Amino acid sequence: GENVEQHPSTLSVQEGDSAVIKCTYSDSASNYFPWYKQELGKRPQLIIDIRSNVGEKKDQRIAVTLNKTAKHFSLHITETQPEDSAVYFCAAKKSGAGSYQLTFGKGTKLSVIP
Amino acid sequence: DAGVIQSPRHEVTEMGQEVTLRCKPISGHDYLFWYRQTMMRGLELLIYFNNNVPIDDSGMPEDRFSAKMPNASFSTLKIQPSEPRDSAVYFCASSPGLAGGHEQYFGPGTRLTVT
């Protein structure tokens, strides 16, 4: 089955700096890669996703890049703010009409220091 | 839409007792997922349903766990008998599927403590 590795497990940055979280996946059949943000005591919520036919996607201060050849994808947050502090999870999903399950990474706890 | 609804939000029970967690997915969503979250193991998929039919239950840890979806608006996850190592936050999520997209919408979770 799919295996998703996520690094680092914790990350501290100064407010205004950039943060980068990296994930690798094992199954070359995976074609959908979402990122979820989970604030303390809250539910995970989708913040951005990318499909395998796209190399990069941006949404304001966040961006995701995908390297299919190397089987890794990354989340970039620029101009970090205290409200960005949360646990971020990457995930991967295989292609195919019958496959709807996501495999999640272990998460990265991001702390933005004011 | 109220989003995915889970109950109870918190459950404290003694080892050996039966625990039932409940979920109401977003109306019109074809897929429903049950996850377990712990510090050690992260977010683990336990089972998921498509149109009320269980598709993959390979993540269910053992026979003590069972899940049902009797109709499109209700699902249960049951643990019988419960053990302290079952303590975790259990999330239910739903997804439109197919043309509706792959995003999974999570419920608020049920924090289970087994003493």
Side-chain angles (χ1 to χ4, degrees):
Chain A
E2 176 66 277
N3 183 47
V4 177
E5 299 282 339
Q6 183 171 348
H7 300 280
S9 56
T10 60
L11 178 61
S12 291
V13 298
Q14 290 292 135
E15 182 177 358
D17 287 350
S18 295
V20 180
I21 303 169
K22 299 182 179 181
C23 288
T24 60
Y25 60 99
S26 61
D27 193 337
S28 57
S30 291
N31 69 343
Y32 172 69
F33 307 93
W35 287 87
Y36 283 77
K37 175 183 180 182
Q38 186 178 27
E39 297 176 356
L40 188 62
K42 301 286 183 62
R43 73 193 77 187
Q45 291 188 292
L46 180 74
I47 56 171
I48 194 167
D49 57 13
I50 191 168
R51 297 178 192 279
S52 58
N53 58 348
V54 176
E56 183 176 1
K57 184 177 178 181
K58 291 185 72 173
D59 182 4
Q60 299 182 342
R61 295 186 299 107
I62 60 174
V64 57
T65 59
L66 172 65
N67 184 325
K68 281 198 67 180
T69 303
K71 289 190 282 190
H72 68 69
F73 56 112
S74 301
L75 177 71
H76 304 251
I77 305 174
T78 59
E79 301 173 22
T80 53
Q81 301 169 3
E83 52 264 40
D84 295 329
S85 295
V87 178
Y88 291 81
F89 293 94
C90 63
K93 186 190 85 67
K94 286 200 308 187
S95 62
S99 180
Y100 261 82
Q101 59 195 90
L102 295 175
T103 301
F104 284 88
K106 288 286 193 286
T108 296
K109 183 177 181 181
L110 172 65
S111 300
V112 179
I113 305 163
Chain B
D1 198 323
V4 176
I5 299 172
Q6 289 186 249
S7 65
R9 295 292 308 276
H10 302 273
E11 177 79 38
V12 180
T13 191
E14 291 183 348
M15 183 174 65
Q17 296 298 304
E18 177 181 297
V19 175
T20 299
L21 311 182
R22 297 173 176 79
C23 175
K24 177 179 167 53
I26 293 172
S27 177
H29 282 193
D30 291 337
Y31 288 82
L32 183 140
F33 306 82
W34 281 101
Y35 290 92
R36 178 172 66 177
Q37 185 175 39
T38 61
M39 289 294 293
M40 289 298 295
R41 300 174 69 92
L43 261 173
E44 301 175 276
L45 177 67
L46 300 177
I47 185 172
Y48 80 97
F49 295 83
N50 176 213
N51 292 325
N52 314 339
V53 177
I55 302 300
D56 187 341
D57 65 354
S58 60
M60 296 285 261
E62 47 200 275
D63 292 346
R64 298 184 298 106
F65 285 70
S66 62
K68 294 181 180 179
M69 191 164 186
N71 57 62
S73 59
F74 184 65
S75 178
T76 59
L77 178 68
K78 185 177 293 187
I79 308 172
Q80 165 64 15
S82 57
E83 297 182 4
R85 60 193 168 119
D86 301 331
S87 297
V89 179
Y90 290 81
F91 286 103
C92 174
S94 69
S95 178
L98 293 175
H102 301 295
E103 180 176 355
Q104 293 188 16
Y105 297 79
F106 284 76
T110 295
R111 182 174 294 278
L112 174 64
T113 303
V114 184
T115 60

